[in-house]
């Protein structure tokens, strides 16, 4: 089956995710996280790509990156190939290390850019690795804090300083929520949808001036409106909408 052609971003900005095959924890050890970061930095010297955010998790990595699409593909190919060689040698194994090449989505607006960056930095918090994003060593948040560039492009710091008064304001921004779902491993996409669905039902209750959020579930008209809102906001099927609804219903009714 031929590979699906990648969409080309009008801004040149992409959110990129590379996943370990079969959910394998290919970056489980700190030395493995450091190695992939080393390779990313090494090939920045050859390929004109600009990194604006990154996070190395145990079984996948996130990048917010600006580049021409062909150059991005070449950059990712060489980084992942060299890491796979390192990983296979270290663990005395053969075969694929990554699931396919990598996933990417176009970043077409400033709002999506900042929401995506926040999502990337919050990955370790959502995975219950750390309580605060700044406590995680293997993301770009530390580089923004100290303005000490290792993998980030210099324009990343410039854009950040133009957008926020200081680092404290930037951190506060990370506490906000978003209704956008970003590419990730399947379990994380599911969790994103569940969080948004919970948030939306409370918002619905607030807009309708209801005393109890359970009234949205108990009232047929409000319930149908809520399901319709889920479909529109999350762009999901009716089947997935029903799955989310029952998840939300069980969560709400148990309280």
């Amino acid at each position: 089956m031929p590979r699906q052609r990648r969409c080309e971003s009008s801004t040149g900005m992409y959110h990129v995710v590379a996943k370990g095959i079969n959910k394998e924890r290919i970056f489980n050890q700190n030395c493995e996280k450091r190695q992939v970061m080393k390779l990313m930095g090494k090939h920045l010297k050859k390929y004109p790509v600009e990194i604006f955010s990154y996070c190395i998790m145990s079984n996948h990595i996130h990048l917010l990156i600006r580049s021409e699409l062909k150059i991005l593909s070449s950059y990712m190919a060489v980084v992942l190939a060299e890491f796979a060689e390192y990983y296979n040698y270290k663990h005395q194994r053969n075969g694929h290390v990554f699931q396919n090449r990598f996933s990417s989505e176009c970043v077409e607006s400033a709002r999506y850019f900042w929401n995506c960056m926040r999502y990337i930095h919050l990955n370790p918090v959502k995975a219950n690795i750390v309580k605060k994003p700044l406590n995680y060593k293997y993301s770009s948040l530390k580089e923004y804090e100290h303005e000490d560039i290792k993998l980030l492009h210099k324009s990343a710091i410039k854009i950040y300083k133009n957008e926020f008064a200081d680092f404290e304001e930037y951190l506060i921004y990370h506490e906000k929520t978003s209704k956008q779902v970003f590419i990730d491993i399947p379990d994380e996409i599911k969790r994103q949808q569940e969080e948004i669905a919970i948030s939306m039902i409370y918002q619905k209750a607030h807009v309708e001036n209801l005393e109890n959020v359970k009234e949205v579930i108990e009232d047929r008209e409000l319930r149908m409106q809520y399901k319709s809102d889920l479909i529109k906001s999350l762009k999901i099927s009716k089947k997935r909408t029903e799955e989310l609804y029952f998840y939300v219903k069980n969560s709400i009714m148990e309280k």
Side-chain angles (χ1 to χ4, degrees), residues 201-219 222:
I201 199 168
Y202 277 96
Q203 183 180 31
K204 182 70 174 174
H206 175 73
V207 169
E208 298 292 337
N209 199 27
L210 303 176
E211 292 185 6
N212 195 315
V213 69
K214 293 180 182 179
E215 294 180 53
V216 177
I217 295 171
E218 294 165 350
D219 185 288
L222 293 177

Side-chain angles (χ1 to χ4, degrees), residues 15-17 62 103-105 119 181-185 189 192:
H15 175 204
V16 172
V17 178
H62 286 273
S103 302
S104 65
E105 61 183 354
Y119 176 76
V181 175
F182 300 93
I183 58 170
D184 210 317
I185 58 176
I189 291 176
Q192 289 182 69

Side-chain angles (χ1 to χ4, degrees), residues 125-142:
V125 177
K126 299 297 185 181
N128 294 315
I129 298 172
V130 293
K131 291 185 178 180
K132 297 180 179 180
L134 198 56
N135 293 341
Y136 193 67
K137 295 181 180 179
Y138 303 101
S139 85
S140 49
L141 196 56
K142 285 285 186 182

Side-chain angles (χ1 to χ4, degrees), residues 48-227:
V49 299
E50 301 174 4
I51 295 176
F52 288 80
S53 183
Y54 63 86
C55 187
I56 317 299
M57 299 295 285
S58 62
N59 64 349
H60 66 289
I61 59 176
H62 286 273
L63 285 169
L64 184 56
I65 192 167
R66 182 163 63 192
S67 173
E68 292 182 16
L69 189 55
K70 288 184 178 179
I71 294 173
L72 172 62
S73 294
S74 297
Y75 173 75
M76 291 302 299
V78 70
V79 169
L80 299 185
E82 289 192 15
F83 181 83
E85 183 179 357
Y86 157 85
Y87 185 81
N88 280 338
Y89 177 79
K90 177 183 176 184
H91 294 278
Q92 298 183 332
R93 67 187 291 279
N94 294 303
H96 296 291
V97 172
F98 292 93
Q99 180 181 320
N100 302 320
R101 297 173 295 166
F102 60 93
S103 302
S104 65
E105 61 183 354
C106 301
V107 178
E108 301 287 6
S109 68
R111 180 183 178 186
Y112 196 83
F113 170 85
W114 291 112
N115 284 344
C116 184
M117 182 181 291
R118 176 178 58 202
Y119 176 76
I120 289 172
H121 287 154
L122 288 175
N123 250 238
V125 177
K126 299 297 185 181
N128 294 315
I129 298 172
V130 293
K131 291 185 178 180
K132 297 180 179 180
L134 198 56
N135 293 341
Y136 193 67
K137 295 181 180 179
Y138 303 101
S139 85
S140 49
L141 196 56
K142 285 285 186 182
E143 291 192 41
Y144 280 105
E145 179 187 22
H146 300 293
E147 297 181 23
D148 179 22
I149 293 176
K150 294 182 176 64
L151 293 179
L152 292 182
H153 192 267
K154 59 184 180 181
S155 60
I157 300 297
K158 183 178 179 180
I159 290 173
Y160 143 74
K161 295 186 79 171
N162 287 339
E163 184 71 17
F164 300 94
D166 51 32
F167 183 71
E168 183 177 354
E169 184 180 302
Y170 183 53
L171 271 184
I172 292 172
Y173 175 76
H174 282 72
E175 297 173 4
K176 294 183 178 181
T177 58
S178 169
K179 289 184 180 179
Q180 292 173 315
V181 175
F182 300 93
I183 58 170
D184 210 317
I185 58 176
D187 289 346
E188 283 299 307
I189 291 176
K190 180 180 178 183
R191 180 194 57 73
Q192 289 182 69
Q193 292 176 338
E194 290 170 349
E195 285 187 354
I196 293 171
I198 289 286
S199 173
M200 286 179 63
I201 199 168
Y202 277 96
Q203 183 180 31
K204 182 70 174 174
H206 175 73
V207 169
E208 298 292 337
N209 199 27
L210 303 176
E211 292 185 6
N212 195 315
V213 69
K214 293 180 182 179
E215 294 180 53
V216 177
I217 295 171
E218 294 165 350
D219 185 288
R220 185 179 184 280
E221 184 176 350
L222 293 177
R223 185 168 67 244
M224 296 305 293
Q225 290 174 2
Y226 169 66
K227 290 182 180 181

Side-chain angles (χ1 to χ4, degrees), residues 31-43:
C31 60
E32 291 163 347
K33 293 182 179 71
R34 289 193 294 267
Q35 179 66 15
V36 74
M37 290 176 65
K38 178 181 177 181
L39 292 172
M40 286 161 55
K42 169 187 172 183
H43 292 291

